[in-house]
Amino acid sequence: MDLVLASGSPRRAALLESLGLRFTVVVPDVDETRHPDEEPDRYVERVARLKASVVAAPGSLVLAADTTVVHEGRVLGKPTHPTEARAMLGRLSGDVHAVYTGVAVASGLEVTSGVDRSLVRMTEMTDDEIARYVDGGEPFDKAGAYALQGVGGMFVEAVDGSPSNVIGLPLHLTARLLRAHGFDPLR
């Protein structure tokens, strides 16, 4: 069975490659808008299931994921403008936030899914550090406006939970879901 990653995220692809897995990438075209009052865990799981379902095809095992950051009850998506990125990072500075990732695996019409949650403690960041980080361009296309695996990692003091979840694909959950569909990631 061919493994398909239903994601345009280079971070997710890199995590799968780190396991030595061979796969193809198909970027799903889905509406990722959060429903009003939708809880973050239900939101990321719904979107991951939708992505997997849209890409599902006979003979393929489709893996999809969606990640969001939550700080003080507020969902922080991907910033679209430098001002928004600076504001997000200012909120996260010196505080703890949660990262939720929904993962879904589809084979045929069967879709299984789960959600992982990690807590991240950020260091205090000065306005100058935030501005220079945002000017470097890394915060864009990343929930919460930072990348643990990149320059933004210098602002992460501690992670309680899966670091790969914070990057966008909790490998322990991914492996469990793949195994449930008869795909052994250690093969």
Side-chain angles (χ1 to χ4, degrees), residues 14 128 166:
D128 180 61
V166 179

Side-chain angles (χ1 to χ4, degrees), residues 164-178:
S164 62
N165 177 54
V166 179
I167 297 170
L169 188 65
L171 294 178
H172 65 285
L173 175 58
T174 299
R176 181 172 57 83
L177 293 171
L178 289 172

